[in-house]
Amino acid sequence: MSHQRIPKNWTIQRSTPFFTNDNVPTALLSHHNTAAGVFGQLCVMEGVVTYYGFADENATEPEIKIVIPAGSFATSPPQYWHCIELSDNAQFNINFWSDSDKKDQRMYNTK
């Protein structure tokens, strides 16, 4: 799997605050996926975030690894299982994109 493009007609439905090692939700550090019809866009402001993608919710070995340095972003397609790892100085946020109004719906699922 390579970096996937968010469809051009999709819009941001929700954005998280900036996360660091001090306040990152534990769900993001273990297996989770974006909801059906939702793309995640992980934007790194400082440090490095490493994204690990898995073939399914039970896979223990990642099928992809993407190192995202400050000033860069990566996308996570709908319903793709993944987790992240942060450098000590990492700061990032996530934008959730969809083609329909999902502002009041869950943007990701945990195992």
Side-chain angles (χ1 to χ4, degrees):
M1 169 179 279
S2 62
H3 177 78
Q4 292 197 9
R5 185 179 302 260
I6 297 168
K8 66 180 177 179
N9 61 317
W10 286 30
T11 58
I12 294 175
Q13 299 297 305
R14 191 179 310 153
S15 294
T16 68
F18 287 105
F19 295 127
T20 66
N21 277 297
D22 294 331
N23 67 350
V24 63
T26 55
L28 299 181
L29 303 174
S30 60
H31 270 53
H32 67 283
N33 71 4
T34 44
V38 175
F39 254 94
Q41 178 189 32
L42 194 152
C43 304
V44 180
M45 302 300 155
E46 189 175 329
V48 174
V49 175
T50 304
Y51 172 100
Y52 298 96
F54 299 91
D56 58 50
E57 74 176 294
N58 297 312
T60 57
E61 293 297 317
E63 64 180 357
I64 63 164
K65 174 183 175 181
I66 302 170
V67 177
I68 314 160
S72 299
F73 71 89
T75 59
S76 190
Q79 298 182 292
Y80 184 66
W81 290 94
H82 59 281
C83 70
I84 60 170
E85 183 178 87
L86 311 180
S87 67
D88 289 343
N89 64 336
Q91 181 177 340
F92 72 98
N93 82 318
I94 303 169
N95 297 314
F96 294 101
W97 294 74
S98 179
D99 66 346
S100 59
D101 184 0
K102 294 184 183 292
K103 289 184 173 84
D104 296 326
Q105 298 176 26
R106 285 186 69 89
M107 295 289 130
Y108 67 91
N109 304 296
T110 57
K111 210 170 151 177

